[in-house]
Amino acid sequence: MKKIVFLILMLLFVFAVVYYFFIDNNKEISSCISCHDGIETVSSSHLDLSCTDCHGGSSLTMDKDNAHKNMYGRNNPSDPSVWMQTCGRCHEYEVKRASSSLMLTNTGIIKNTLAAWGEENGRLYSQNNNDKAYDKHGNIITIDNISEYDTISADMYRKFCSACHVGQAADMGYQGVHSSGCSACHFPYGDFGEYSGNDKSMQGKSIHSVTHEMKTLPDDTVCLACHNRSGRIALSYKGEYDGNNALVPLKDGIPGPNLTSGLRNTRHFQDDIHHAKGMECIDCHTTMEIMGDGYYYENMYEQIEVSCESCHGSYTEKPETAPAVKENMVPYLKGTSYIDKIEYGSSMVLTDKGRPYSNVYEKDNKIILMSKRTGKEREVKVITGTMEHNIAGHSRMECYTCHSANVIQCYGCHVEYNETKTMYDFVKNKETVGQFVETEDLRTFYPFPLAFNQKGKIAPVTPGCQTFLTHIDKNGNIVSNDKMVDFRGKPQMKYAPFYGHNTGRKAVQCENCHSTLFFYGFGDGLFSAQDDTLTSAVRCDNCPVPLNSIYAVENGKFKSKSDIVRSGSSPLSRNEIVKAVDVMKCIVCHSEKDSKYYQQDIDYEKILNDDVHKPFIR
């Protein structure tokens, strides 16, 4: 009898062990942990999930190859090719939103690249496939895959631009490594993409995240992994400026002192004021901007819902607020991972799209921004009613027109397209005919030209693909040699409205703006009194027009040399420029401290001919 009882107890013990390690998928699986001993817990909210719940594969075998069969996305179960089977099972709403985000679709970059090369055909393209897409008005639209469009600019997008995109993992060297899908942001990668956590079987291997621990609230290093090229907003935000040619000025002629992705040296200029105060990218930008809100946007500015006025107000209007009184409101849904939680009934500041911020609120009659990762509260200065923001004509300007300390400008993009060679196509996932090599002429950051943006406001603009194409066909024949690409039917330079993310507390001084012709699109102007000519001297070998000017004056006539690429945008008119420069007639005597003189429209002809001013005018 004792033997029978003993055998029963032994069987129960064996069954318990088998159940615990091999059947109960709510526990860590022993066959996985036997190799990955020490691996970090993903997060406290994922404790009830087993390895195979997220990664797939098999936990019932000790054979490595069999255990790894049928894994989701191999080492990344959040890759967009499988994320509805993994992350989407619990986070369906977020994954569907992210499927339409510009950082996944790249619809805006594709559209504007094709337009800048004169190859736009009226259709919208994306890097991923989506059976049902909605435009910003909620209408069902058709989005084609860019792999189906065979033009030089589409090919360049696939081989250059598409590599930096949350649908595509990237290994672009030092500080240029990131994953795809959800883990592109939530599982940060190190400088070289190597795992350095506690799982000894994975240590030193790449491409892997630093650890297996999820970062619910990503820090700025995650943003920097992608946003360090083109507009370079992540570099500019923290006050770093890179140069990749000999024309970039460096202190004492020494490169550096810092290194960033692509083995580029950077030097420091002024931090963005928000960065200097300790704010991170996610403190301003909302989840609806970063992960999308379910709509397909054609341009980044359409997906963005924050502006300076959202938090700081305008001269006439304070920031708009609404009480957080519903459990499904953004502050409650998105604030669960913050150190400090939003209190019920808090007066939340609203974004430009009328959604409540999750971390900006009114408290004791002040606007407070709470840093999402640290919980630190910062008072936001509200400019409503401040006299320095009541300047006649300035209501037509973006805040960052005056408050941008620097705006990165890359002039002269020379592209060689060689069909005798091949290059990897990141969308088609294979080598295809056509190799691109790109060089630039000049990069500067101050001063910067101004124009009307898509909202009809005066804003900084930056060169928008000033492309000169050298095309070598399959037989080695030169089809075009450093030829300026047409835009809107003619060869001309292109500029795009741009917020450079290098905001200064102090504005550009009035006399600097109103007396510097570079701001008005004349580049580094050279004036010839002999033939009434004002033009820029900055040109490349085959430039039919100056590189850094929108306008010129030739034989006394005002001539346009460039265009603004965004829909609804336009250069400043001749009359606008004359009005702006005319203000110097007053600034010479009345500095910005005498702001009361500039709070109304000035009739120069009347004032400068009155008894007070006429004696000073000759």
Side-chain angles (χ1 to χ4, degrees), residues 352-391:
D352 289 355
K353 292 187 178 181
R355 301 185 183 114
Y357 280 94
S358 60
N359 65 319
V360 188
Y361 43 85
E362 190 174 21
K363 181 179 179 181
D364 299 329
N365 295 318
K366 298 176 181 178
I367 299 298
I368 302 296
L369 180 143
M370 179 185 70
S371 288
K372 294 176 181 176
R373 294 197 326 121
T374 66
K376 182 176 181 178
E377 291 187 328
R378 294 176 172 85
E379 182 181 351
V380 179
K381 180 181 179 180
V382 176
I383 67 168
T384 308
T386 54
M387 299 309 294
E388 64 268 26
H389 293 97
N390 182 29
I391 306 299

Side-chain angles (χ1 to χ4, degrees), residues 31 45 76 109 114 135 170 224 269 311 326 331 377 398 402 482 495 519 522 525 575 578 614:
S31 62
S45 61
N76 177 20
I109 292 177
L114 299 181
D135 67 12
L224 179 64
F269 56 30
C311 294
K326 296 180 180 179
E377 291 187 328
E398 295 283 9
C402 290
D482 211 24
Y495 288 80
F519 284 112
F522 288 97
N575 289 337
V578 171
K614 195 169 184 179

Side-chain angles (χ1 to χ4, degrees), residues 36-41 188 190 193-205 208-213:
H36 297 285
D37 185 33
I39 194 167
E40 296 78 17
T41 300
E194 294 182 350
Y195 176 84
S196 58
N198 298 322
D199 180 356
K200 293 182 179 179
S201 69
M202 297 297 295
Q203 285 179 355
K205 291 185 178 181
H208 293 282
S209 56
V210 176
T211 72
H212 190 250
E213 182 183 358

Side-chain angles (χ1 to χ4, degrees), residues 188-344:
Y189 280 37
D191 288 343
F192 294 98
E194 294 182 350
Y195 176 84
S196 58
N198 298 322
D199 180 356
K200 293 182 179 179
S201 69
M202 297 297 295
Q203 285 179 355
K205 291 185 178 181
S206 62
I207 305 173
H208 293 282
S209 56
V210 176
T211 72
H212 190 250
E213 182 183 358
M214 175 187 289
K215 300 296 183 184
T216 308
L217 300 171
D219 63 23
D220 285 357
T221 59
V222 171
C223 309
L224 179 64
C226 286
H227 296 284
N228 61 73
R229 299 276 185 174
S230 190
R232 291 163 167 77
I233 55 176
L235 286 176
S236 294
Y237 183 66
K238 64 177 189 172
E240 290 193 11
Y241 171 62
D242 71 312
N244 60 5
N245 60 42
L247 295 176
V248 177
L250 296 171
K251 184 178 180 181
D252 300 325
I254 300 173
N258 301 318
L259 194 66
T260 190
S261 70
L263 298 180
R264 292 171 292 157
N265 291 302
T266 68
R267 66 187 181 96
H268 189 264
F269 56 30
Q270 176 177 314
D271 283 34
D272 185 284
I273 184 61
H274 303 87
H275 183 266
K277 294 292 185 181
M279 290 173 57
E280 297 182 288
C281 303
I282 62 171
D283 289 334
C284 279
H285 291 291
T286 70
T287 178
M288 292 295 185
E289 292 179 322
I290 299 169
M291 294 177 60
D293 59 6
Y295 297 103
Y296 267 71
Y297 294 105
E298 298 182 27
N299 298 284
M300 182 174 66
Y301 60 80
E302 294 175 316
Q303 187 163 314
I304 296 297
E305 64 175 344
V306 304
S307 66
C308 307
E309 293 91 339
S310 299
C311 294
H312 296 281
S314 66
Y315 174 74
T316 57
E317 300 289 339
K318 290 184 177 181
E320 190 176 354
T321 61
V325 292
K326 296 180 180 179
E327 63 180 11
N328 63 345
M329 290 184 73
V330 171
Y332 300 131
L333 293 176
K334 303 305 175 186
T336 55
S337 54
Y338 302 169
I339 291 178
D340 291 333
K341 306 299 186 288
I342 299 300
E343 296 180 3
Y344 179 83

